[in-house]
Amino acid sequence: VSVTPGSKQIISTDVANTKKTYVPSASSGTKNVEIENASQVQLKYAVMLDVPVEELNNTLLLEAIDHWLGTKYCLGGSTENCIDCSAFTQNLMRDVYAISIPRTAQEQYNNSTHIKTKELQQGDLVFFQNSKHNISHVGVYVANNKFVHASVSNGVMISDLNENYWQQRYKGAGT
């Protein structure tokens, strides 16, 4: 990771002779936005998440999500070729917020400050448990009960906390 003047982060990986570079736009970051000044990524996710564009003020988060969206899942993966849920959240926290969090979903849960679901904000972690009551899955809250995560079946995607599958497994949220 290298930081250049103007607060642009350039994040590159070289995997299997394929180089992908993620460069946030000059307007990245958290700020209030009016629809007339909204970026393409803000407009795209306003439609996808069914929220007013004015609620999507963290363009750096949206650009990072957009970069990873569709990446396939693999257990233990941590690259743009394949990634698991906790490596995905670890990467987002590092790249968007410059925060270092543990590698596994259980460790991320144990080390987070737990918050109530009604207090969820963009960038908070959402945790899910398996039948043994262990934390087995984690994602990042975006807006309107939607979260982004690396799913086993579809890779990096956006899901709704109100879906029956996720409601049954939801354990809590944290910052």
Side-chain angles (χ1 to χ4, degrees):
V1 175
S2 62
V3 179
T4 59
S7 298
K8 288 184 182 178
Q9 276 186 315
I10 300 174
I11 300 160
S12 299
T13 58
D14 190 1
V15 181
N17 299 323
T18 304
K19 188 169 185 174
K20 287 174 99 176
T21 302
Y22 165 60
V23 183
S25 69
S27 63
S28 293
T30 302
K31 62 181 181 176
N32 292 331
V33 64
E34 295 177 0
I35 194 163
E36 296 84 11
N37 299 321
S39 69
Q40 287 183 333
V41 74
Q42 287 170 304
L43 293 170
K44 174 182 177 178
Y45 284 91
V47 171
M48 285 177 68
L49 301 168
D50 193 25
V51 297
V53 70
E54 294 85 358
E55 290 183 19
L56 298 177
N57 54 11
N58 190 338
T59 54
L60 188 55
L61 175 61
L62 298 176
E63 289 172 351
I65 292 168
D66 206 52
H67 175 75
W68 286 97
L69 204 64
T71 300
K72 74 177 186 172
Y73 176 92
C74 65
L75 183 62
S78 61
T79 70
E80 292 169 331
N81 284 342
C82 70
I83 195 161
D84 68 19
C85 65
S86 58
F88 174 66
T89 56
Q90 188 180 47
N91 275 290
L92 277 187
M93 293 298 118
R94 181 196 65 216
D95 296 348
V96 176
Y97 301 104
I99 296 172
S100 178
I101 62 173
R103 175 62 177 87
T104 70
Q106 184 68 59
E107 291 170 331
Q108 290 175 13
Y109 178 79
N110 293 345
N111 286 283
S112 69
T113 301
H114 299 239
I115 59 172
K116 296 177 181 175
T117 303
K118 66 182 180 182
E119 298 170 345
L120 277 169
Q121 296 180 22
Q122 285 178 22
D124 289 336
L125 298 173
V126 288
F127 298 98
F128 304 89
Q129 62 189 14
N130 59 24
S131 59
K132 297 178 184 175
H133 304 290
N134 296 322
I135 300 299
S136 57
H137 193 67
V138 61
V140 175
Y141 185 78
V142 186
N144 195 23
N145 291 315
K146 309 285 192 308
F147 67 102
V148 62
H149 61 116
S151 87
V152 173
S153 57
N154 294 308
V156 177
M157 62 179 290
I158 294 174
S159 294
D160 194 317
L161 289 170
N162 292 325
E163 292 173 16
N164 190 41
Y165 179 88
W166 297 113
Q167 279 185 334
Q168 292 176 6
R169 291 161 178 79
Y170 183 74
K171 174 64 176 175
T175 61

